[in-house]
Amino acid sequence: MAQTNAIELRHITKRFGQKVIANDDISLDLHKGEILALLGENGSGKTTLMNMLGGIYFPDEGQIFIDGEEVTIRSPKDSFRYGIGMIHQHFKLVDVFTAAENIVLGLEGEKGKLDKSSIRKTVREIAERYGFEIDPDQKVYDMSVSQKQTVEIVKVLYRGANVLILDEPTAVLTPQETDKLFAVMRNMKKDGKAIIIITHKLHEVLDVSDRVAVLRKGKYIGDVETATATQQSLTDMMVGRAVSLNIDRPKAEKCVERLVVNNLTVRDKEGVKKLDNVSFAAMGGEILGIAGVAGSGQKELLEAIAGLQPEEPGSEIRYISPEGNEMSLIGMDPLDIINAGILLSFVPEDRFGAGLVGSMPIVDNIKLRTYRDHKGILADRAKAQALADRIVLDLEVVTPNTNVIPIRRLSGGNVQKVLVGREISSSPTVLMTAYAVRGLDINTSYMIYNLLTEQKMKGAAVIYVGEDLDVLLELCDRIMVLCGGQVSGIVDAATATKEEIGLLMTQFRREDKA
Amino acid sequence: MSGFLSFLSSFSTTLTFSITFGTVILFGALGEILSEKGGNLNLGVPGIMYIGAIGSLVGALWFQGATGSLAGSLGIFYPILCVIVCLIFAFGMAMLAGLLFAYLTISLRTNQNVTGLTLTIFGTGIANYIGGSLGSVGTVRADVTSDAIKAYITPLVKWLDSLTDKFNLGSLLFRHGFMVYLAILVAIALWYFLTKTRTGLSLRAVGENTATADAAGININKYKYLSTCIGAGISGLGGCFYVMEYIDGLWETSATIGALGWLAVALVIFATWKPMRCIWGAYLFGLLSWFYFLVPGLFKGSDKIFQMLPYLFTLLVLILVSLRRKPEDQPPASLGKAYFREER
């Protein structure tokens, strides 16, 4: 019998450290000549699973079969050898090289002189066969995001890949570019290649894939033929049933408008819209949750409010102080915004990216915020020390000391507690936090939830960007859902369902897709 | 008229010296380019050139001392053998210094700037220590080796000189030892290697974007080690050339090697990491170092103000390059960064 599966995964388990199980006993097949969509929320383990095929990670348990034979993939090189080509979200290209140079980089077996004309010819052949548009001599730094992606795809095809794995390829593309990519993918499918596409966008899943496999919190939920699936059925599989967490949510009292955002638009350095006409109001005395798949504009939104992102003309951010004074935050200095009582505690992938200096001890990191309160040329160490001691005590930060050991040496959870604790300590009127509980254990997470609720009851407007929908639903008073930089809906957290939010998270405004 | 002619003659002499210094700088800079293209900023170049210099001198003295009795029987081959041994010593010792730098920065991931500066201090110190004590051992001039390295084709020089009258084109172009031309060949070879070969492409990828090169299956450590060590070897030849050609196989005591070593580092920036641009850049730097020769009425001390000219030119180039913002003129993007493979 002919082998119909390009790849079979059997009982794959991958753990990071003691606590985190990224993939739990996953078994999955990829047929030849099909496009399989891998669907799941953030942190459901899609990328981890694919990285094991790409040779970035090695599974702790389980087997991988390629064309029916068991294989061991230990490095990206091994992965190439078995005909697997992975296109990462972050392109691995050398900017000052041409497309052609990037495509042949590191190829084995061909030593000596670079035969540029034969490389060009092969690249053109591949481009013609699948319908790419590519100029082999164009430098990568001159390319648009979509062109860079094309180079990545041609690169793996040039190496003879039979299986292509695309990790959220459309996240960076315009709708027109997405359509082009899908056309190319269909051509590759016709050519007998097997393709796995990771995406959050349900309409794209329905558009391009033959079959959908769903992961949730590291577990394999099941697969379904795309023809029989709907957006609703896929959302249900993806988010699952609501879990009760019993987070204490006292009723919001004396809500007053604290922060009004109107038509906020932000572009990144490449000119791509990261926020598109966002309008909402945050109330003092409530927690406003912000939901959305990663990269939907959460970071840009918070940074724009904190004065760290330049806004496009026409954007409006108004702040109304508890005393009733109004002021515009557009174009204001980050320091003035902080002094007005608007604080941002952002927990990025690396916790030291925003707000903490890894090589300094806790006290010095706290001093970064407090030193301005003190007049004179010397910094007031005693005050920072007292605050450090209080944070350590209140939040149960585990550390040998507060004034010697660099904060980098603390565990992630403890670092986060210091970060959040520091921001809360200055009794803000607007407190913005992003991914405040990322990587924390349950107890610490609840501690943070309680701290945020405490701030809310004190009358602060709390903006909570979160990943876990269950938490958002129980912690927040209202939830704003972002999708592709736009507000796709603002719902009342007490009555909204997980499915409703899940659907909003993946719902692009259709009229924008020309 | 005679004033002009004497100026022409002194200009020609100055140019000849410029080529000598330019060659020292060129070797240093080419080695540093190879190292930096692999992402390793080696500020130990002055120290490495010192080590290359003392290596060549010790090697030559040792070989001449041990085999002096064979000189007669080997004839013309004896000096050639001496030169080969001398070059191997210079290259090898400098490579060892490069290996030390590579081990510290690549394997132990120490800070490249600090390590490089330390290597410069170390190399200068140890070379001067050994060089200073050579006098007490006996013969201090590596005569056979030095003379062989300085050898040039006399008839060619005389013929061209007679054709060009006062300007002495023959002396200018051909009254140099073979290493002057070797340096140019190395520059051309390095250009070919970096731009035309697959290995060169891989090396540049390592220096530009180490993670990408790693993902493409390139052995990062191998490339970094080899480029740093071979680069150091090439830089070391600059020191060798200086003691053998410019000061006749003696040990130098004026700290000029160190000064030329820093000029080599500056030249890499001046040439925007391009070997071919290095060739004329090196001679320009050489000329600028001797420029005070052409300025009348200078006394000792005031010549120093002219010796800063190369650095001024480098600053100028830095400003121009940063104004033009051409990606090809930028340093390798991963230069100076230790590489950690992404782990979770």
Side-chain angles (χ1 to χ4, degrees), chain B residues 4-32:
Chain B
F4 177 71
L5 281 181
S6 84
F7 172 79
L8 204 60
S9 155
S10 78
F11 185 63
S12 166
T13 316
T14 310
L15 281 183
T16 312
F17 278 129
S18 307
I19 289 174
T20 307
F21 269 29
T23 302
V24 179
I25 301 168
L26 184 53
F27 274 119
L30 292 175
E32 180 65 6

PDB file of all heavy atoms in Angstrom, chain B residues 4-32:
ATOM      1  N   PHE B   4      61.574  73.090  -7.018  1.00  0.00           N
ATOM      2  CA  PHE B   4      60.525  72.160  -7.369  1.00  0.00           C
ATOM      3  C   PHE B   4      61.073  70.739  -7.499  1.00  0.00           C
ATOM      4  O   PHE B   4      60.479  69.783  -7.027  1.00  0.00           O
ATOM      5  CB  PHE B   4      59.865  72.582  -8.678  1.00  0.00           C
ATOM      6  CG  PHE B   4      58.807  71.625  -9.144  1.00  0.00           C
ATOM      7  CD1 PHE B   4      57.597  71.528  -8.457  1.00  0.00           C
ATOM      8  CD2 PHE B   4      59.030  70.798 -10.235  1.00  0.00           C
ATOM      9  CE1 PHE B   4      56.641  70.629  -8.871  1.00  0.00           C
ATOM     10  CE2 PHE B   4      58.063  69.891 -10.640  1.00  0.00           C
ATOM     11  CZ  PHE B   4      56.857  69.812  -9.961  1.00  0.00           C
ATOM     12  N   LEU B   5      62.253  70.659  -8.120  1.00  0.00           N
ATOM     13  CA  LEU B   5      62.855  69.343  -8.320  1.00  0.00           C
ATOM     14  C   LEU B   5      63.190  68.697  -6.983  1.00  0.00           C
ATOM     15  O   LEU B   5      62.974  67.502  -6.787  1.00  0.00           O
ATOM     16  CB  LEU B   5      64.104  69.444  -9.180  1.00  0.00           C
ATOM     17  CG  LEU B   5      63.835  69.581 -10.684  1.00  0.00           C
ATOM     18  CD1 LEU B   5      65.151  69.649 -11.448  1.00  0.00           C
ATOM     19  CD2 LEU B   5      62.999  68.404 -11.183  1.00  0.00           C
ATOM     20  N   SER B   6      63.698  69.487  -6.056  1.00  0.00           N
ATOM     21  CA  SER B   6      64.064  68.893  -4.766  1.00  0.00           C
ATOM     22  C   SER B   6      62.802  68.478  -4.018  1.00  0.00           C
ATOM     23  O   SER B   6      62.765  67.465  -3.320  1.00  0.00           O
ATOM     24  CB  SER B   6      64.906  69.868  -3.937  1.00  0.00           C
ATOM     25  OG  SER B   6      64.065  70.749  -3.234  1.00  0.00           O
ATOM     26  N   PHE B   7      61.749  69.259  -4.228  1.00  0.00           N
ATOM     27  CA  PHE B   7      60.496  68.848  -3.613  1.00  0.00           C
ATOM     28  C   PHE B   7      60.026  67.527  -4.210  1.00  0.00           C
ATOM     29  O   PHE B   7      59.615  66.606  -3.505  1.00  0.00           O
ATOM     30  CB  PHE B   7      59.410  69.915  -3.840  1.00  0.00           C
ATOM     31  CG  PHE B   7      58.052  69.466  -3.404  1.00  0.00           C
ATOM     32  CD1 PHE B   7      57.694  69.485  -2.057  1.00  0.00           C
ATOM     33  CD2 PHE B   7      57.133  68.994  -4.326  1.00  0.00           C
ATOM     34  CE1 PHE B   7      56.449  69.051  -1.657  1.00  0.00           C
ATOM     35  CE2 PHE B   7      55.890  68.551  -3.920  1.00  0.00           C
ATOM     36  CZ  PHE B   7      55.541  68.580  -2.586  1.00  0.00           C
ATOM     37  N   LEU B   8      60.154  67.440  -5.551  1.00  0.00           N
ATOM     38  CA  LEU B   8      59.744  66.226  -6.243  1.00  0.00           C
ATOM     39  C   LEU B   8      60.513  65.035  -5.703  1.00  0.00           C
ATOM     40  O   LEU B   8      59.950  63.968  -5.439  1.00  0.00           O
ATOM     41  CB  LEU B   8      59.999  66.393  -7.747  1.00  0.00           C
ATOM     42  CG  LEU B   8      59.136  65.524  -8.655  1.00  0.00           C
ATOM     43  CD1 LEU B   8      57.679  65.842  -8.452  1.00  0.00           C
ATOM     44  CD2 LEU B   8      59.552  65.723 -10.101  1.00  0.00           C
ATOM     45  N   SER B   9      61.792  65.231  -5.513  1.00  0.00           N
ATOM     46  CA  SER B   9      62.636  64.147  -5.043  1.00  0.00           C
ATOM     47  C   SER B   9      62.246  63.753  -3.620  1.00  0.00           C
ATOM     48  O   SER B   9      62.134  62.573  -3.293  1.00  0.00           O
ATOM     49  CB  SER B   9      64.098  64.575  -5.130  1.00  0.00           C
ATOM     50  OG  SER B   9      64.848  63.856  -4.204  1.00  0.00           O
ATOM     51  N   SER B  10      62.016  64.757  -2.773  1.00  0.00           N
ATOM     52  CA  SER B  10      61.660  64.402  -1.398  1.00  0.00           C
ATOM     53  C   SER B  10      60.245  63.816  -1.367  1.00  0.00           C
ATOM     54  O   SER B  10      59.924  62.953  -0.553  1.00  0.00           O
ATOM     55  CB  SER B  10      61.755  65.614  -0.480  1.00  0.00           C
ATOM     56  OG  SER B  10      60.628  66.445  -0.632  1.00  0.00           O
ATOM     57  N   PHE B  11      59.406  64.259  -2.323  1.00  0.00           N
ATOM     58  CA  PHE B  11      58.075  63.688  -2.415  1.00  0.00           C
ATOM     59  C   PHE B  11      58.159  62.209  -2.774  1.00  0.00           C
ATOM     60  O   PHE B  11      57.488  61.362  -2.200  1.00  0.00           O
ATOM     61  CB  PHE B  11      57.267  64.443  -3.469  1.00  0.00           C
ATOM     62  CG  PHE B  11      55.844  64.010  -3.544  1.00  0.00           C
ATOM     63  CD1 PHE B  11      54.991  64.189  -2.457  1.00  0.00           C
ATOM     64  CD2 PHE B  11      55.341  63.414  -4.691  1.00  0.00           C
ATOM     65  CE1 PHE B  11      53.674  63.783  -2.526  1.00  0.00           C
ATOM     66  CE2 PHE B  11      54.022  63.001  -4.755  1.00  0.00           C
ATOM     67  CZ  PHE B  11      53.188  63.185  -3.675  1.00  0.00           C
ATOM     68  N   SER B  12      59.061  61.924  -3.705  1.00  0.00           N
ATOM     69  CA  SER B  12      59.236  60.539  -4.131  1.00  0.00           C
ATOM     70  C   SER B  12      59.738  59.680  -2.974  1.00  0.00           C
ATOM     71  O   SER B  12      59.259  58.561  -2.757  1.00  0.00           O
ATOM     72  CB  SER B  12      60.202  60.504  -5.304  1.00  0.00           C
ATOM     73  OG  SER B  12      60.621  59.196  -5.524  1.00  0.00           O
ATOM     74  N   THR B  13      60.688  60.219  -2.205  1.00  0.00           N
ATOM     75  CA  THR B  13      61.195  59.485  -1.039  1.00  0.00           C
ATOM     76  C   THR B  13      60.063  59.251  -0.035  1.00  0.00           C
ATOM     77  O   THR B  13      59.899  58.163   0.511  1.00  0.00           O
ATOM     78  CB  THR B  13      62.302  60.298  -0.333  1.00  0.00           C
ATOM     79  OG1 THR B  13      63.164  60.825  -1.319  1.00  0.00           O
ATOM     80  CG2 THR B  13      63.055  59.440   0.650  1.00  0.00           C
ATOM     81  N   THR B  14      59.285  60.297   0.171  1.00  0.00           N
ATOM     82  CA  THR B  14      58.178  60.178   1.109  1.00  0.00           C
ATOM     83  C   THR B  14      57.207  59.094   0.655  1.00  0.00           C
ATOM     84  O   THR B  14      56.728  58.293   1.455  1.00  0.00           O
ATOM     85  CB  THR B  14      57.422  61.517   1.200  1.00  0.00           C
ATOM     86  OG1 THR B  14      58.375  62.544   1.426  1.00  0.00           O
ATOM     87  CG2 THR B  14      56.418  61.495   2.326  1.00  0.00           C
ATOM     88  N   LEU B  15      56.951  59.072  -0.651  1.00  0.00           N
ATOM     89  CA  LEU B  15      56.024  58.059  -1.170  1.00  0.00           C
ATOM     90  C   LEU B  15      56.561  56.654  -0.927  1.00  0.00           C
ATOM     91  O   LEU B  15      55.812  55.733  -0.584  1.00  0.00           O
ATOM     92  CB  LEU B  15      55.786  58.274  -2.666  1.00  0.00           C
ATOM     93  CG  LEU B  15      54.794  59.373  -3.035  1.00  0.00           C
ATOM     94  CD1 LEU B  15      54.601  59.413  -4.537  1.00  0.00           C
ATOM     95  CD2 LEU B  15      53.461  59.152  -2.344  1.00  0.00           C
ATOM     96  N   THR B  16      57.877  56.500  -1.091  1.00  0.00           N
ATOM     97  CA  THR B  16      58.467  55.183  -0.864  1.00  0.00           C
ATOM     98  C   THR B  16      58.260  54.741   0.579  1.00  0.00           C
ATOM     99  O   THR B  16      57.858  53.618   0.852  1.00  0.00           O
ATOM    100  CB  THR B  16      59.963  55.212  -1.196  1.00  0.00           C
ATOM    101  OG1 THR B  16      60.125  55.843  -2.459  1.00  0.00           O
ATOM    102  CG2 THR B  16      60.541  53.823  -1.240  1.00  0.00           C
ATOM    103  N   PHE B  17      58.505  55.658   1.496  1.00  0.00           N
ATOM    104  CA  PHE B  17      58.255  55.344   2.908  1.00  0.00           C
ATOM    105  C   PHE B  17      56.771  55.064   3.151  1.00  0.00           C
ATOM    106  O   PHE B  17      56.405  54.202   3.951  1.00  0.00           O
ATOM    107  CB  PHE B  17      58.692  56.512   3.804  1.00  0.00           C
ATOM    108  CG  PHE B  17      60.164  56.511   4.095  1.00  0.00           C
ATOM    109  CD1 PHE B  17      60.934  57.646   3.891  1.00  0.00           C
ATOM    110  CD2 PHE B  17      60.780  55.363   4.599  1.00  0.00           C
ATOM    111  CE1 PHE B  17      62.288  57.651   4.171  1.00  0.00           C
ATOM    112  CE2 PHE B  17      62.135  55.372   4.877  1.00  0.00           C
ATOM    113  CZ  PHE B  17      62.889  56.507   4.658  1.00  0.00           C
ATOM    114  N   SER B  18      55.940  55.829   2.438  1.00  0.00           N
ATOM    115  CA  SER B  18      54.503  55.656   2.607  1.00  0.00           C
ATOM    116  C   SER B  18      54.079  54.239   2.245  1.00  0.00           C
ATOM    117  O   SER B  18      53.223  53.645   2.888  1.00  0.00           O
ATOM    118  CB  SER B  18      53.741  56.634   1.729  1.00  0.00           C
ATOM    119  OG  SER B  18      54.182  57.934   1.963  1.00  0.00           O
ATOM    120  N   ILE B  19      54.713  53.722   1.188  1.00  0.00           N
ATOM    121  CA  ILE B  19      54.351  52.364   0.759  1.00  0.00           C
ATOM    122  C   ILE B  19      54.791  51.359   1.816  1.00  0.00           C
ATOM    123  O   ILE B  19      54.076  50.404   2.134  1.00  0.00           O
ATOM    124  CB  ILE B  19      54.976  52.064  -0.622  1.00  0.00           C
ATOM    125  CG1 ILE B  19      54.249  52.894  -1.686  1.00  0.00           C
ATOM    126  CG2 ILE B  19      54.897  50.577  -0.940  1.00  0.00           C
ATOM    127  CD1 ILE B  19      54.840  52.808  -3.062  1.00  0.00           C
ATOM    128  N   THR B  20      55.963  51.587   2.409  1.00  0.00           N
ATOM    129  CA  THR B  20      56.425  50.677   3.466  1.00  0.00           C
ATOM    130  C   THR B  20      55.441  50.660   4.643  1.00  0.00           C
ATOM    131  O   THR B  20      54.973  49.605   5.069  1.00  0.00           O
ATOM    132  CB  THR B  20      57.819  51.118   3.968  1.00  0.00           C
ATOM    133  OG1 THR B  20      58.672  51.245   2.839  1.00  0.00           O
ATOM    134  CG2 THR B  20      58.369  50.106   4.935  1.00  0.00           C
ATOM    135  N   PHE B  21      55.120  51.853   5.134  1.00  0.00           N
ATOM    136  CA  PHE B  21      54.171  51.909   6.254  1.00  0.00           C
ATOM    137  C   PHE B  21      52.797  51.404   5.828  1.00  0.00           C
ATOM    138  O   PHE B  21      52.114  50.703   6.568  1.00  0.00           O
ATOM    139  CB  PHE B  21      54.066  53.354   6.779  1.00  0.00           C
ATOM    140  CG  PHE B  21      55.035  53.653   7.882  1.00  0.00           C
ATOM    141  CD1 PHE B  21      56.250  52.986   7.951  1.00  0.00           C
ATOM    142  CD2 PHE B  21      54.732  54.586   8.860  1.00  0.00           C
ATOM    143  CE1 PHE B  21      57.148  53.243   8.970  1.00  0.00           C
ATOM    144  CE2 PHE B  21      55.621  54.850   9.885  1.00  0.00           C
ATOM    145  CZ  PHE B  21      56.840  54.187   9.935  1.00  0.00           C
ATOM    146  N   GLY B  22      52.429  51.786   4.586  1.00  0.00           N
ATOM    147  CA  GLY B  22      51.125  51.354   4.073  1.00  0.00           C
ATOM    148  C   GLY B  22      51.002  49.850   4.066  1.00  0.00           C
ATOM    149  O   GLY B  22      49.945  49.291   4.388  1.00  0.00           O
ATOM    150  N   THR B  23      52.095  49.163   3.748  1.00  0.00           N
ATOM    151  CA  THR B  23      52.052  47.704   3.695  1.00  0.00           C
ATOM    152  C   THR B  23      51.850  47.118   5.092  1.00  0.00           C
ATOM    153  O   THR B  23      51.089  46.158   5.271  1.00  0.00           O
ATOM    154  CB  THR B  23      53.356  47.170   3.062  1.00  0.00           C
ATOM    155  OG1 THR B  23      53.474  47.754   1.766  1.00  0.00           O
ATOM    156  CG2 THR B  23      53.331  45.672   2.952  1.00  0.00           C
ATOM    157  N   VAL B  24      52.544  47.703   6.076  1.00  0.00           N
ATOM    158  CA  VAL B  24      52.348  47.236   7.459  1.00  0.00           C
ATOM    159  C   VAL B  24      50.874  47.375   7.837  1.00  0.00           C
ATOM    160  O   VAL B  24      50.235  46.445   8.351  1.00  0.00           O
ATOM    161  CB  VAL B  24      53.219  48.054   8.441  1.00  0.00           C
ATOM    162  CG1 VAL B  24      52.992  47.585   9.876  1.00  0.00           C
ATOM    163  CG2 VAL B  24      54.683  47.957   8.067  1.00  0.00           C
ATOM    164  N   ILE B  25      50.328  48.567   7.539  1.00  0.00           N
ATOM    165  CA  ILE B  25      48.928  48.829   7.877  1.00  0.00           C
ATOM    166  C   ILE B  25      47.997  47.889   7.100  1.00  0.00           C
ATOM    167  O   ILE B  25      47.017  47.379   7.631  1.00  0.00           O
ATOM    168  CB  ILE B  25      48.581  50.305   7.574  1.00  0.00           C
ATOM    169  CG1 ILE B  25      49.480  51.243   8.379  1.00  0.00           C
ATOM    170  CG2 ILE B  25      47.127  50.586   7.875  1.00  0.00           C
ATOM    171  CD1 ILE B  25      49.394  52.690   7.933  1.00  0.00           C
ATOM    172  N   LEU B  26      48.346  47.661   5.827  1.00  0.00           N
ATOM    173  CA  LEU B  26      47.495  46.825   4.969  1.00  0.00           C
ATOM    174  C   LEU B  26      47.382  45.407   5.523  1.00  0.00           C
ATOM    175  O   LEU B  26      46.282  44.864   5.628  1.00  0.00           O
ATOM    176  CB  LEU B  26      48.069  46.805   3.546  1.00  0.00           C
ATOM    177  CG  LEU B  26      47.263  46.062   2.476  1.00  0.00           C
ATOM    178  CD1 LEU B  26      45.823  46.562   2.438  1.00  0.00           C
ATOM    179  CD2 LEU B  26      47.903  46.238   1.102  1.00  0.00           C
ATOM    180  N   PHE B  27      48.519  44.816   5.900  1.00  0.00           N
ATOM    181  CA  PHE B  27      48.462  43.467   6.487  1.00  0.00           C
ATOM    182  C   PHE B  27      47.554  43.469   7.724  1.00  0.00           C
ATOM    183  O   PHE B  27      46.681  42.621   7.873  1.00  0.00           O
ATOM    184  CB  PHE B  27      49.864  42.989   6.889  1.00  0.00           C
ATOM    185  CG  PHE B  27      50.631  42.331   5.773  1.00  0.00           C
ATOM    186  CD1 PHE B  27      51.835  42.850   5.330  1.00  0.00           C
ATOM    187  CD2 PHE B  27      50.145  41.176   5.179  1.00  0.00           C
ATOM    188  CE1 PHE B  27      52.551  42.232   4.312  1.00  0.00           C
ATOM    189  CE2 PHE B  27      50.862  40.554   4.156  1.00  0.00           C
ATOM    190  CZ  PHE B  27      52.067  41.091   3.716  1.00  0.00           C
ATOM    191  N   GLY B  28      47.795  44.451   8.577  1.00  0.00           N
ATOM    192  CA  GLY B  28      46.998  44.529   9.807  1.00  0.00           C
ATOM    193  C   GLY B  28      45.517  44.634   9.511  1.00  0.00           C
ATOM    194  O   GLY B  28      44.697  43.921  10.091  1.00  0.00           O
ATOM    195  N   ALA B  29      45.175  45.506   8.567  1.00  0.00           N
ATOM    196  CA  ALA B  29      43.763  45.758   8.269  1.00  0.00           C
ATOM    197  C   ALA B  29      43.105  44.555   7.594  1.00  0.00           C
ATOM    198  O   ALA B  29      41.957  44.224   7.889  1.00  0.00           O
ATOM    199  CB  ALA B  29      43.637  46.997   7.385  1.00  0.00           C
ATOM    200  N   LEU B  30      43.832  43.877   6.703  1.00  0.00           N
ATOM    201  CA  LEU B  30      43.239  42.730   6.002  1.00  0.00           C
ATOM    202  C   LEU B  30      42.900  41.621   6.989  1.00  0.00           C
ATOM    203  O   LEU B  30      41.831  41.011   6.920  1.00  0.00           O
ATOM    204  CB  LEU B  30      44.203  42.213   4.923  1.00  0.00           C
ATOM    205  CG  LEU B  30      44.414  43.160   3.739  1.00  0.00           C
ATOM    206  CD1 LEU B  30      45.482  42.606   2.809  1.00  0.00           C
ATOM    207  CD2 LEU B  30      43.115  43.380   2.974  1.00  0.00           C
ATOM    208  N   GLY B  31      43.822  41.376   7.920  1.00  0.00           N
ATOM    209  CA  GLY B  31      43.554  40.368   8.944  1.00  0.00           C
ATOM    210  C   GLY B  31      42.336  40.740   9.764  1.00  0.00           C
ATOM    211  O   GLY B  31      41.477  39.908  10.060  1.00  0.00           O
ATOM    212  N   GLU B  32      42.253  42.029  10.087  1.00  0.00           N
ATOM    213  CA  GLU B  32      41.133  42.489  10.910  1.00  0.00           C
ATOM    214  C   GLU B  32      39.815  42.403  10.134  1.00  0.00           C
ATOM    215  O   GLU B  32      38.772  42.086  10.716  1.00  0.00           O
ATOM    216  CB  GLU B  32      41.403  43.924  11.389  1.00  0.00           C
ATOM    217  CG  GLU B  32      40.322  44.524  12.266  1.00  0.00           C
ATOM    218  CD  GLU B  32      40.158  43.803  13.601  1.00  0.00           C
ATOM    219  OE1 GLU B  32      40.955  42.900  13.893  1.00  0.00           O
ATOM    220  OE2 GLU B  32      39.217  44.141  14.342  1.00  0.00           O
TER     221      GLU B  32
END
